[in-house]
Amino acid sequence: MDTWDVVIAGAGLAGLALAAELAAPEFAHLRVLLIEPRKNYVRDRTWSYWALPNALPQQWQGLPTTQWPQWRVSLAERSVLSKSEVPYASVRADAFYDAALGMIAKAPHIQWLRETSIQQAESTAHGVEITTNAGQCISSKLLFDSRPPKPSQASDWVQHFVGWEVKVKSPCFESQCVELMAFEPHGSGLHFFYCLPYSRTQALVESTWISRAILQRDYEAELREALQQRWGCSDYAITFREKGALPLMPRPAAAQSHVVRIGRAGGKLRAATGYAFCASLQQTSSLAASLAKHFNEGKALIDWQAPPFKTSAMDQWMDSVLFRVLESDWQAAPQYFLSLFERVPELQLIRFLQGQANAQDRLAVMRALPAWPFMRAALR
Ligand SMILES: Cc1cc2nc3c(=O)[nH]c(=O)nc-3n(C[C@H](O)[C@H](O)[C@H](O)COP(=O)(O)OP(=O)(O)OC[C@H]3O[C@@H](n4cnc5c(N)ncnc54)[C@H](O)[C@@H]3O)c2cc1C
């Protein structure tokens, strides 16, 4: 059996970020194996977040970003424009992949199994035994598992979307302002368009749904219509496509000894936004820091315990109440978001949505929402 100190299951955002941290010379005594189904890395998504000063760990603060000083939420004629010193920022996945792969390539102690999936991972007294789709048996003292969670039930909340990056001939986008949520009320879920304008003639436009289970939607027809009706462009070239179906509140996998779950698998996706970028990078950075401290104290890998990475129970509870209110009347749901953006000061709302809220921020969010439907949902 092939034996390793550390196996990282899945080399997407969290797996690559952790491997890049472990590429540092202080971890050169570890044998690390990355197991990943994909063969090549291409741009497959775009990660956005609010660039709060501490949003990203130091290691990732140099990633190239596009930034916007304003964002808008709207419903028909009603719209709320927000401005803040904290910009909305966006990173192309290929920029992150290139940076992380570059760091990993310099570390001979990190090896790859590409085009390989893990089929099974079982804890033993001394580590984890892993079986791959190619029938390999691998043992490791520690497994960092980032295999994405699947919806645990058909009725789970899911955010599903398709995005096109388009280039148009005549300027039609407002380059300083992100369309965060341009709502189209619907009886079966929350539907909105999202637009990251890179310039007056280039933008990433997405049709996004939040619903119980994935609805059968013709996202492409929705995008075509929105480009025509909302932005007035019919003559465009699609230069990039992305899509996703993210379970928003997946049931946590059962705890296993010698297994640490990271990224979405580790519960790092914020249900209220579908965002996991900053939290995943924060988590992997804090795991690496904890390992480094452990080795500096002369301790062995087998004695290391992953530090608990705080996901606020209060935020989780507030998100679940929010979703129960939304689904009680999908048609009215956009109004709640407009109230939030209208009534909560920008910085407080950013901290709340990014999972960095303090008690006052949460109170401001609660005050901005109508008391009765939320109290009823909270009591359910
Ligand atoms: C299109 C898209 C856009 C998004 N936009 C944003 C955004 O703007 N902001 C934000 O914060 N979040 C966003 N997210 C959510 C979240 O940040 C991403 O999903 C992020 O990639 C999650 O990181 P992860 O490491 O948990 O999962 P992933 O990056 O998906 O990595 C999981 C890895 O596991 C691998 N894998 C799967 N099965 C196996 C197996 N059996 N064995 C081994 N490996 C396996 C996969 O190939 C993949 O490389 C977006 C998600 C998508 C899909």
Side-chain angles (χ1 to χ4, degrees), residues 58-293:
Q58 183 85 31
Q59 162 104 321
W60 302 108
Q61 285 180 5
L63 284 172
T65 59
T66 310
Q67 303 198 345
W68 296 266
Q70 301 177 12
W71 48 92
R72 179 164 43 225
V73 294
S74 60
L75 171 66
E77 301 307 309
R78 187 176 164 205
S79 81
V80 184
L81 181 70
S82 306
K83 298 176 193 182
S84 166
E85 283 160 23
V86 176
Y88 192 71
S90 196
V91 177
R92 284 169 47 139
D94 50 337
F96 169 80
Y97 295 148
D98 288 349
L101 291 169
M103 292 183 223
I104 297 164
K106 291 188 193 135
H109 62 284
I110 303 184
Q111 301 289 309
W112 282 87
L113 260 185
R114 293 202 193 208
E115 295 179 78
T116 306
S117 318
I118 293 181
Q119 273 188 338
Q120 210 176 327
E122 282 194 4
S123 299
T124 64
H126 304 291
V128 185
E129 288 188 0
I130 295 158
T131 314
T132 71
N133 60 332
Q136 293 130 303
C137 293
I138 294 165
S139 98
S140 180
K141 291 179 188 154
L142 194 58
L143 172 67
F144 289 102
D145 195 348
S146 76
R147 287 173 293 159
K150 296 190 173 59
S152 36
Q153 294 175 22
S155 60
D156 275 358
W157 295 106
V158 57
Q159 186 187 98
H160 44 113
F161 53 93
V162 167
W164 287 350
E165 192 171 290
V166 294
K167 271 193 179 162
V168 296
K169 289 220 172 84
S170 331
C172 64
F173 299 113
E174 208 180 319
S175 57
Q176 292 295 301
C177 182
V178 167
E179 294 291 341
L180 208 54
M181 291 186 272
F183 289 105
E184 295 263 328
H186 193 279
S188 314
L190 191 68
H191 180 216
F192 58 89
F193 291 96
Y194 170 78
C195 173
L196 292 182
Y198 294 112
S199 70
R200 299 270 290 130
T201 54
Q202 189 180 7
L204 175 67
V205 183
E206 297 195 348
S207 176
T208 303
W209 287 83
I210 294 173
S211 56
R212 285 231 183 234
I214 300 179
L215 306 171
Q216 293 308 311
R217 302 300 313 174
D218 188 347
Y219 308 93
E220 312 240 322
E222 289 162 2
L223 284 170
R224 271 193 299 275
E225 194 184 319
L227 280 163
Q228 173 87 60
Q229 306 282 330
R230 288 181 175 271
W231 288 282
C233 45
S234 47
D235 190 7
Y236 49 85
I238 302 170
T239 52
F240 165 74
R241 293 166 199 261
E242 67 173 42
K243 64 179 181 175
L246 308 170
L248 292 175
M249 295 181 194
R251 199 166 304 154
Q256 266 181 283
S257 48
H258 314 292
V259 177
V260 180
R261 295 198 169 81
I262 56 175
R264 285 208 289 129
K268 293 293 150 274
L269 184 124
R270 181 71 199 271
T273 56
Y275 287 2
F277 181 66
C278 299
S280 299
L281 295 183
Q282 294 287 0
Q283 182 200 23
T284 48
S285 173
S286 88
L287 288 171
S290 162
L291 271 171
K293 182 167 176 282

Side-chain angles (χ1 to χ4, degrees), residues 269-328:
L269 184 124
R270 181 71 199 271
T273 56
Y275 287 2
F277 181 66
C278 299
S280 299
L281 295 183
Q282 294 287 0
Q283 182 200 23
T284 48
S285 173
S286 88
L287 288 171
S290 162
L291 271 171
K293 182 167 176 282
H294 185 78
F295 295 136
N296 277 339
E297 289 165 359
K299 297 178 187 160
L301 178 62
I302 199 78
D303 298 322
W304 180 72
Q305 292 285 331
F309 183 82
K310 267 196 287 162
T311 302
S312 160
M314 187 65 180
D315 286 352
Q316 286 176 343
W317 177 77
M318 285 178 74
D319 288 357
S320 73
V321 172
L322 174 70
F323 280 110
R324 272 179 266 156
V325 173
L326 297 183
E327 79 168 337
S328 66

